[in-house]
Amino acid sequence: MSDKQAEQQIELEVRGMTCDACALHVTKALQGVEGVLQVHVPGWTSGQAMLSTRPGIDEAQLVSAVEKAGYRASLRPPIPPKLGGSERGPADAPEPPPADAQDFDFDLAVIGTGGGGMAAAIKAAELGRRACIIEAGVLGGTCVNIGCVPSKALIRAAEAYHRAGHHPFAGVHTAATGLDWPALIGQKDQLVGELRQGKYEDVLASYGDRITLIRGWARLQPDGAVALDDGRTVTAARIIIATGAAPRILPLDGIEDVAALTSTSAMALSQQPRSLIVIGGRAIALELGQTFARFGTQVTVLQRSPRLIPEHEPAIAEALADYLREEGLAVHTGVKPLAIRQEGDEKVITAEADGQRREFRAEQVLMAVGRTPRTAGMGLAEAGVTLDAGGFIVVNEFMQTSNPRIYAAGDVTQQPKLVYVAAAGGGIAAANALEGNHKRLDLTALPDVIFTDPQVAAVGLTEAQAIAAGYDVKTTILPLAYVPRALAARDTRGLINLVADRGSDRLLGAHVLASEAGEVIQTAALAIRMGSRYGFTVSDLREMLFPYLVQAEGLKLAAQTFEKDVTQLSCCAG
Ligand SMILES: Cc1cc2nc3c(=O)[nH]c(=O)nc-3n(C[C@H](O)[C@H](O)[C@H](O)COP(=O)(O)OP(=O)(O)OC[C@H]3O[C@@H](n4cnc5c(N)ncnc54)[C@H](O)[C@@H]3O)c2cc1C
């Protein structure tokens, strides 16, 4: 009998996990049990742990290890031998009631045509079901129209403008006038239009009558139907809510009388502002703040927390703040805005900083302080859909709401506000809604990128999270000045910070501040995922061949610095 055949597959239901650190905490607790060969917790939302063990292991010990770690566990019936993957056999969560196609206009009604809704409708069509997708606004939702696409187009243009005095959008920079703002905004809009047409309108059309697009604002009815604002009603066996989120506006004193910009209106300004106060210190605030600054606007960032991007490694947050200041942005942390007023052509923010009142003035104020879910007025409470304190829809690991007929995905839920999370969730929600709860969203090793320059990219645990999760943590920080690609590009701003478990030598987190860090991070995401599933280690990463010179080679070099002094690293010889 091979070693593989001598393994036993066990699945535990784990309750009480509330974050990525919990998932790793549970993994570590189970790895410590004698006879456990492999543990896979596919994200904290999964509520499960899948184990490969020696036959005859005392299952009570597994339950007790999880409970000692502070969670509750129970055994699930045996699962097929395959470990990992988010496609799972039938689970014991509540199954949605059977769909009787005869009774409804559609098998599935999806509300919202953003990344989440589109993925849901397409999945339904692929499963041979009749779906409708309802849209109140512009087709395509946030990402293509007012989010990822326009912001990244402007960021790229600003980068090139900043570095070379011209940028790739044809004819928007002239020696005589500097930046041609209307042309820049116009070409950004053109790109948005092209992508909306190609990736949303044409894609929907290609599904013919398998996906019916319905225009209108949808509201759930107590009888389970979906009412539209023009009086029509749609019925469907299952419903998916993918209505996204809108910019949050701080309730500052005076906000009713002074129009502050949001990310949406900032990217559509007909005139470039001379000066701009950005309230907020996370991704959208810093991406847009740096972009405006690079186009020549005088930018002041006001961040309430003691540091920018507070969820990221402190060394990265501090270095990024320094780089932004070097470019001329005024970055203030620990500042709490209280009031806003208009004085002539200036907006004035009164804020509290270090116990003192301070005023900040600029032509425009941009609020980038998070997103608020689009759930208001949709009849969700009456439909039995539970919302959290912030109004976000609560879903279980199957993307199902507290009403078993209704699923939700994307920014309207409590999940990370990223379009690839929305799309993955939408597809899973549709599959579960139509075929029973078989799939879970696996957010293990979720990479996240902030498109500043240098970029911030992160995956897995920070050092503080790893310590809190009980790991025997080892960390290393490699300044970008040791990465040949960065040296050749004459841009050594940044660092690579790795977090690993000393005992298992597994990578737990990677935090990169570097030009094109977003291209680097996926290698680290793979290393973390392969570590949790197949035991891939930091030594394995160190031994892999990386092309010379690419920025991702920095990961290998950083992995080497766990063992070696950075000054002993010889080029690609290691
Ligand atoms: C400035 C900015 C930059 C971003 N950059 C990135 C990035 O670089 N990478 C990334 O991954 N993510 C980025 N995001 C986040 C990303 O855009 C969102 O996570 C994603 O678009 C959410 O998709 P969704 O399907 O949940 O919702 P949305 O895309 O918001 O779609 C919801 C749709 O539902 C419609 N709707 C709402 N209520 C109703 C109703 N009652 N009836 C009918 N229709 C309704 C809306 O009109 C909308 O079209 C960015 C966001 C912003 C704002």
Side-chain angles (χ1 to χ4, degrees):
M1 188 186 274
S2 72
D3 277 357
K4 202 78 197 157
Q5 286 166 318
E7 291 176 14
Q8 179 186 353
Q9 309 302 322
I10 294 178
E11 185 174 338
L12 290 179
E13 184 168 87
V14 181
R15 291 175 299 282
M17 295 192 288
T18 54
C19 63
D20 284 346
C22 294
L24 283 150
H25 211 171
V26 168
T27 306
K28 198 166 157 44
L30 289 167
Q31 280 169 339
V33 177
E34 180 72 29
V36 170
L37 302 171
Q38 262 187 44
V39 179
H40 175 50
V41 177
W44 65 270
T45 54
S46 71
Q48 65 172 343
M50 291 128 79
L51 294 93
S52 175
T53 69
R54 294 269 176 239
I57 191 168
D58 180 1
E59 290 160 342
Q61 274 190 29
L62 301 174
V63 171
S64 140
V66 174
E67 288 179 351
K68 270 195 202 137
Y71 307 89
R72 294 179 307 287
S74 52
L75 278 175
R76 277 194 179 150
I79 56 171
K82 182 171 156 256
L83 257 187
S86 54
E87 292 200 19
R88 307 278 302 105
D92 51 359
E95 294 286 321
D100 184 349
Q102 308 304 317
D103 296 343
F104 300 100
D105 301 333
F106 299 96
D107 298 317
L108 184 70
V110 179
I111 308 177
T113 61
M118 282 288 287
I122 289 170
K123 174 56 77 179
E126 284 170 358
L127 292 173
R129 303 302 187 102
R130 296 167 308 132
C132 71
I133 189 164
I134 306 170
E135 177 54 61
V138 183
L139 195 80
T142 300
C143 182
V144 70
N145 293 303
I146 52 169
C148 331
V149 171
S151 63
K152 268 77 242 178
L154 292 176
I155 286 166
R156 240 328 178 221
E159 247 171 58
Y161 186 76
H162 171 76
R163 286 187 183 163
H166 66 276
H167 60 71
F169 283 32
V172 300
H173 174 253
T174 67
T177 60
L179 183 69
D180 183 345
W181 184 265
L184 173 75
I185 298 299
Q187 291 187 31
K188 177 265 298 176
D189 289 343
Q190 189 186 340
L191 178 72
V192 165
E194 284 164 13
L195 284 178
R196 182 173 56 234
Q197 183 70 44
K199 300 292 172 195
Y200 292 82
E201 294 178 9
D202 294 351
V203 168
L204 266 190
S206 73
Y207 282 89
D209 57 10
R210 287 186 288 159
I211 303 178
T212 303
L213 173 63
I214 298 174
R215 301 282 187 171
W217 191 82
R219 179 186 159 83
L220 303 185
Q221 298 296 94
D223 66 359
V226 179
L228 297 165
D229 50 353
D230 62 4
R232 285 175 295 165
T233 302
V234 173
T235 62
R238 302 284 182 272
I239 295 167
I240 293 181
I241 304 169
T243 49
R248 188 165 81 92
I249 301 292
L250 284 182
L252 300 181
D253 277 352
I255 192 69
E256 319 75 41
D257 304 320
V258 183
L261 297 171
T262 63
S263 57
T264 308
S265 51
M267 290 191 287
L269 280 173
S270 55
Q271 269 191 332
Q272 181 185 6
R274 288 184 320 280
S275 54
L276 175 72
I277 292 170
V278 178
I279 302 182
R282 291 178 169 79
I284 294 175
L286 301 184
E287 289 179 2
L288 291 182
Q290 187 181 35
T291 297
F292 274 91
R294 287 185 159 193
F295 284 133
T297 297
Q298 194 189 344
V299 172
T300 303
V301 175
L302 303 182
Q303 158 74 332
R304 189 172 168 166
S305 306
R307 63 169 193 264
L308 300 180
I309 50 171
E311 292 77 17
H312 288 261
E313 284 290 359
I316 287 188
E318 280 149 26
L320 179 64
D322 288 346
Y323 295 137
L324 294 175
R325 287 188 181 115
E326 279 165 20
E327 277 192 23
L329 285 87
V331 177
H332 301 275
T333 55
V335 175
K336 183 183 175 192
L338 302 169
I340 185 169
R341 66 177 192 276
Q342 186 81 41
E343 264 186 27
D345 62 357
E346 277 187 335
K347 295 179 173 59
V348 185
I349 295 287
T350 308
E352 197 179 276
D354 299 325
Q356 310 278 317
R357 289 277 159 130
R358 281 192 66 178
E359 285 192 347
F360 300 89
R361 292 166 180 272
E363 184 186 335
Q364 295 281 9
V365 171
L366 164 62
M367 290 234 187
V369 288
R371 313 275 295 170
T372 181
R374 289 200 202 92
T375 49
M378 285 189 64
L380 297 183
E382 298 83 341
V385 174
T386 302
L387 308 180
D388 71 7
F392 291 95
I393 296 179
V394 177
V395 288
N396 64 16
E397 62 266 41
F398 303 107
M399 313 300 295
Q400 190 178 32
T401 71
S402 47
N403 178 334
R405 278 188 65 234
I406 302 175
Y407 290 67
D411 283 10
V412 75
T413 70
Q414 298 164 306
Q415 285 169 347
K417 309 286 172 269
L418 296 164
V419 71
Y420 40 100
V421 173
I428 287 173
N432 288 340
L434 295 167
E435 303 208 309
N437 288 343
H438 299 301
K439 294 188 176 209
R440 295 176 169 90
L441 182 60
D442 182 353
L443 294 179
T444 320
L446 173 70
D448 186 7
V449 181
I450 300 176
F451 290 84
T452 45
D453 178 22
Q455 294 176 353
V456 177
V459 60
L461 301 182
T462 60
E463 180 180 0
Q465 288 168 334
I467 291 170
Y471 285 100
D472 181 8
V473 172
K474 57 178 181 178
T475 63
T476 186
I477 292 187
L478 180 79
L480 253 267
Y482 289 94
V483 179
R485 175 71 178 177
L487 286 164
R490 306 240 177 252
D491 182 2
T492 55
R493 293 169 306 156
L495 57 95
I496 298 177
N497 183 178
L498 300 183
V499 180
D501 178 37
R502 204 180 293 279
S504 65
D505 194 34
R506 273 181 34 221
L507 188 65
L508 301 175
H511 310 272
V512 184
L513 176 66
S515 152
E516 301 302 341
E519 308 296 332
V520 173
I521 205 67
Q522 200 60 17
T523 304
L526 273 171
I528 291 176
R529 195 171 170 112
M530 292 303 109
S532 67
R533 290 193 175 187
Y534 308 114
F536 185 87
T537 61
V538 170
S539 308
D540 292 327
L541 183 65
R542 206 164 33 224
E543 284 163 18
M544 281 186 70
L545 295 178
F546 278 71
Y548 186 76
L549 314 68
V550 296
Q551 202 82 302
E553 188 198 6
L555 287 175
K556 175 187 168 100
L557 297 170
Q560 285 173 330
T561 61
F562 277 119
E563 307 289 326
K564 271 190 181 177
D565 189 309
V566 67
T567 55
Q568 292 178 309
L569 298 178
S570 159
C571 191
C572 46

